[in-house]
Amino acid sequence: MSLKSIQTEVDVCYLYKILAEHEEDENVAHVFRQMSEIEHSHALAFLAKNNLEESHLPKPSGRARTLHLIGKVFGYDYILGVLLDTEKSVSSSIIKARKQTGTKESLSDTAHVTILKNILSNNNQVSGANLARFEKRHRSVGGNALRAAVLGGNDGLVSNFSLVMGIAGATSGQEEVLLAGMAGLLAGALSMALGEWISVKSSQELYENQMQLELEELETNPEGEQKELALIYMTKGIPEVQAQQMAAEIMKNKGQAHEMLIKEELGINPEDLKGSAMEAAVTSFLLFAIGAIIPVFPFFFWGGMQAVIISTVMSAIGLFLIGAAITLFTGKSVWFSGFRQVVFGLIAAAITFGIGKWIGVSVMG
């Protein structure tokens, strides 16, 4: 077991402890404390396996402390989403290693993933209010919003950086580059916003249509819907007699039955329909624009090669920060991820600058 793996155990232990300290539901808080203790015991066991004393146990990494800070600002369900991704990654690695070595799989391989999924579902004794809170926040935040923010900024920066460098290579005029850069910013941001609006709106309309169809089926053929609900419960391992009793009990309340059917049969949660398409569009517009303005900014004040150099430096810094931010989800090295992002971005910009230079020379010639 490498020191990097031990660091992962320490970080996960630290984050579970943070979640436990800020969890309102005592049942869930207790689970988080237990999982923190398990991760701590894993770290100690790995130290012993490598003939290291407990004093060698590392402190939580900068990544873990940054996630704690994000939790303070945006809510601790962000951390829950990142932890679920981490547990899935660890579980996948264990299963892959077992297949390569031919060893038998164990229930413990996926235990933590199952526990976290149960916290985010109805398979526990968490109160209904907190279940709704967990389900909603995990889908809408839980690391996904942060990831979307990082990727949105990256799209804006890389695409507009390449565009600006291409125009700068073709012409040395400050006004031309500035005009093209701002046009690229607006065109890209508006395209992202429209795409996000259409995506959210079309999903909502599809869900609403499916829910209406399910309601009509419930009204016209309640017996058939009851049988379907019982079959769903049976596929989850519930005995047939008990599944039929549960389905019959739910069908006594049409509203409850409809909600349960669209959730169990269609996989739709009504909370998904409450998202604002306009809010998603505006967010996408702003995220793209924030990244896209970076390479353009120097051309407001300078021109020629001086502006190109300053734009390149600013864009490289932005690319490095984006690459570093991605490590919050991947757990990779900040320096590796950051510089990888810089290299790819600079290569793309260099190619477009070269093409622009070639086109400019050809036109002038």
Side-chain angles (χ1 to χ4, degrees):
M1 177 61 64
S2 66
L3 293 179
K4 180 181 177 182
S5 298
I6 295 175
Q7 182 68 67
T8 299
E9 299 287 350
V10 170
D11 288 350
V12 173
C13 167
Y14 169 77
L15 292 174
Y16 276 131
K17 184 178 180 182
I18 295 300
L19 287 178
E21 291 173 353
H22 296 87
E23 175 53 48
E24 299 172 1
D25 191 294
E26 182 53 37
N27 288 328
V28 179
H30 178 68
V31 171
F32 286 148
R33 283 192 293 269
Q34 294 292 316
M35 293 178 76
S36 178
E37 291 175 5
I38 291 171
E39 298 294 353
H40 182 69
S41 67
H42 285 169
L44 294 179
F46 292 143
L47 281 176
K49 187 176 181 180
N50 287 272
N51 299 317
L52 296 173
E53 300 293 333
E54 187 172 347
S55 58
H56 289 89
L57 197 67
K59 294 182 178 180
S61 67
R63 172 179 179 263
R65 291 195 295 270
T66 300
L67 286 170
H68 183 194
L69 178 61
I70 291 173
K72 283 183 178 180
V73 177
F74 297 104
Y76 288 93
D77 290 316
Y78 278 95
I79 297 177
L80 181 59
V82 173
L83 275 174
L84 180 56
D85 289 342
T86 301
E87 295 288 12
K88 285 180 178 178
S89 177
V90 171
S91 175
S92 177
S93 298
I94 293 174
I95 293 174
K96 183 178 179 181
R98 286 190 182 279
K99 288 181 178 179
Q100 291 176 343
T101 58
T103 55
K104 187 178 180 181
E105 293 185 10
S106 169
L107 288 175
S108 63
D109 295 346
T110 57
H112 285 194
V113 175
T114 302
I115 291 169
L116 289 181
K117 284 184 176 180
N118 285 345
I119 288 176
L120 295 166
S121 69
N122 290 331
N123 299 327
N124 51 61
Q125 298 179 353
V126 184
S127 64
N130 280 301
L131 275 171
R133 174 173 64 86
F134 272 120
E135 289 182 359
K136 180 179 179 181
R137 291 192 181 180
H138 181 65
R139 286 193 311 275
S140 60
V141 232
N144 292 328
L146 283 176
R147 187 181 290 106
V150 171
L151 296 179
N154 179 72
D155 288 344
L157 175 52
V158 173
S159 63
N160 224 32
F161 182 32
S162 299
L163 173 63
V164 165
M165 289 298 106
I167 301 300
T171 174
S172 58
Q174 178 181 355
E175 291 79 8
E176 291 89 337
V177 177
L178 189 58
L179 177 61
M182 291 306 296
L185 184 156
L186 289 173
L190 287 171
S191 176
M192 289 284 290
L194 179 59
E196 190 66 22
W197 186 87
I198 291 174
S199 175
V200 174
K201 201 67 178 175
S202 59
S203 294
Q204 289 177 339
E205 291 171 351
L206 174 62
Y207 289 166
E208 289 170 354
N209 181 63
Q210 290 177 325
M211 291 169 65
Q212 180 60 36
L213 179 61
E214 192 66 36
L215 180 59
E216 292 175 0
E217 291 178 352
L218 180 62
E219 292 176 343
T220 57
N221 186 20
E223 295 82 6
E225 294 299 299
Q226 180 173 327
K227 289 180 179 178
E228 287 184 358
L229 190 56
L231 288 173
I232 290 172
Y233 287 138
M234 289 167 62
T235 60
K236 292 186 175 185
I238 298 175
E240 182 177 355
V241 175
Q242 184 180 352
Q244 291 176 349
Q245 291 175 345
M246 292 171 63
E249 185 65 28
I250 290 175
M251 291 296 290
K252 292 179 181 179
N253 185 318
K254 184 178 292 186
Q256 182 183 5
H258 182 234
E259 183 176 344
M260 185 62 67
L261 282 166
I262 62 176
K263 187 173 182 179
E264 296 289 353
E265 186 176 344
L266 302 177
I268 298 174
N269 194 301
E271 292 290 340
D272 293 332
L273 302 179
K274 296 181 181 180
S276 169
M278 184 56 66
E279 181 181 344
V282 171
T283 301
S284 295
F285 181 95
L286 292 176
L287 293 175
F288 187 95
I290 289 172
I293 195 63
I294 295 175
V296 181
F297 184 76
F299 290 92
F300 282 100
F301 307 100
W302 301 282
M305 189 53 64
Q306 182 182 11
V308 169
I309 293 173
I310 296 174
S311 176
T312 300
V313 171
M314 290 182 62
S315 297
I317 294 173
L319 287 166
F320 181 85
L321 293 176
I322 288 172
I326 291 173
T327 64
L328 291 174
F329 317 109
T330 64
K332 300 293 184 181
S333 166
V334 170
W335 296 105
F336 172 79
S337 184
F339 280 117
R340 179 180 60 182
Q341 201 77 5
V342 171
V343 169
F344 288 159
L346 291 180
I347 289 174
I351 292 173
T352 56
F353 182 84
I355 293 173
K357 199 74 173 177
W358 176 72
I359 293 175
V361 171
S362 297
V363 173
M364 291 298 292

